[in-house]
Structures are given as structure tokens and as C-alpha cells.
Amino acid sequence: MGYMTTASTGGGGAEPRWLTEDEQRVWRSYLHATTLFEDHLDRQLQRDAGMPHIYYGLLVQLSQAPRRRRRMTELAIDAKITRSRLSHAIARLEKNGWVRREDCPSDKRGQNAVLTDEGLQVLERTAPGHVEAVRQAMFDRLTPEQVGQLGEIMRIMAEGLQPQDSCADLPWLR
């Protein structure tokens, strides 16, 4: 585990750069907070709309797309999920009548996901409770300065983790 402060790797290589006590504290706090936050959002969305947070995110993406439709591949990339997981999610959303699939006219093998009128209504009913859950869990607890700092930190982390190589071996590109 990457948290250790002592011990040898036994692999004959250079000693790992173990986390300092302060870094361990921040790392564990980050894991704890993000796990609790995601659970908080999932519970709110399950209670209010009978869907997990990932499904809500897909509906939001579709609602913001031209003609409320996106290629399945683009949805997977933006949601950072595998195509298989996306296909399962879209099947569940289809079963609810919130999304439908259609063939992509420009690519015989491609498919688009389309947000239905019913899906848009569910999203419009659910959004106020969701944004309130986000606000209460995050923004109401931080000062404006902390919000700015958190945004900058997350942007830097995301940029550092997002490969620039289009051939990167990422799950949502498989």
C-alpha cells in the first residue's frame, strides 16, 4: 500500500517515496470525504428519482447536447466509464423510458443515446434536490476562498491525470 512510511520493498529498486504524515492525513481525508460525498449524492438521487448518481450524470450530459443526443462513445469518455458499463446504464434508462437509442446516420456501427421528453421531465424534477444536496454537502461548508482553491486543485489534478495521448489505455476508450 502506498501509505507506508518504513520498510523495504524487497524488489531491489529504489526506495519508494513514502507519504509523509501530513500527506497521509490529506490522502485519507480525501478518500473519506469523496466516498462519503458520492454516497450522499447516490442516496439523494435514489430517494428522489430511483437512480444512481452516474445515471443522473448521463441524463445531464444528454440534456445539454444538441437535440438531446450524443454518441455512446462520447458519453462513455465524458462519464469516464467503460462502454460496457455505459451500455448497461443506458439499457436501464431505456427501460424507464428516459432514454432511447438510435443508429448513428454517419456511422453504421455507432449508436446515439437520446434523452426522451419523459427523461427531461425526470431530470427537471430531480435537479433542484440534487443541486441542494451538492450545495449543502460542499459549498455551504466552504468559504469562497476555499471554493476557489478546491476548484484550482481539482483542475490541476485532472489535467495531470488526463493523458494527452489518444492511444492511452483508459477503460472508457476500450
Side-chain angles (χ1 to χ4, degrees), residues 1-171:
M1 304 226 320
Y3 311 172
M4 298 177 69
T5 56
T6 60
S8 171
T9 61
E15 182 71 17
R17 292 180 21 200
W18 300 114
L19 300 179
T20 67
E21 285 186 37
D22 282 345
E23 289 169 337
Q24 285 183 47
R25 181 184 47 76
V26 169
W27 173 240
R28 288 179 180 140
S29 292
Y30 170 83
L31 289 176
H32 190 73
T34 56
T35 300
L36 288 171
F37 190 47
E38 191 62 33
D39 178 67
H40 175 72
L41 296 179
D42 267 338
R43 283 184 289 117
Q44 177 268 318
L45 287 164
Q46 285 290 353
R47 181 185 65 242
D48 292 357
M51 74 175 105
H53 190 217
I54 189 74
Y55 291 14
Y56 179 84
L58 294 171
L59 295 179
V60 168
Q61 281 192 58
L62 291 172
S63 76
Q64 296 171 342
R67 297 178 24 234
R68 298 189 327 221
R69 64 184 24 84
R70 295 217 40 214
R71 291 200 42 148
M72 294 281 284
T73 303
E74 292 170 358
L75 276 175
I77 291 169
D78 287 349
K80 305 294 186 257
I81 59 176
T82 64
R83 292 176 189 170
S84 172
R85 185 170 179 203
L86 175 68
S87 183
H88 176 74
I90 294 297
R92 293 284 308 270
L93 292 169
E94 279 182 303
K95 185 178 177 186
N96 291 340
W98 301 343
V99 171
R100 74 173 186 277
R101 290 182 220 216
E102 62 183 29
D103 291 333
C104 180
S106 62
D107 179 359
K108 298 279 189 221
R109 297 183 316 161
Q111 283 193 316
N112 291 325
V114 182
L115 182 65
T116 65
D117 291 342
E118 186 179 347
L120 183 60
Q121 290 172 359
V122 167
L123 187 59
E124 288 171 343
R125 277 194 315 267
T126 307
H130 180 66
V131 77
E132 186 59 29
V134 170
R135 181 167 298 291
Q136 287 177 350
M138 178 183 278
F139 295 107
D140 289 350
R141 299 173 188 275
L142 302 175
T143 66
E145 181 181 59
Q146 289 171 323
V147 169
Q149 291 169 345
L150 181 60
E152 181 68 5
I153 290 165
M154 294 294 105
R155 183 189 62 74
I156 289 167
M157 287 178 63
E159 284 178 1
L161 293 168
Q162 183 66 48
Q164 301 304 313
D165 181 4
S166 63
C167 297
D169 185 26
L170 299 170

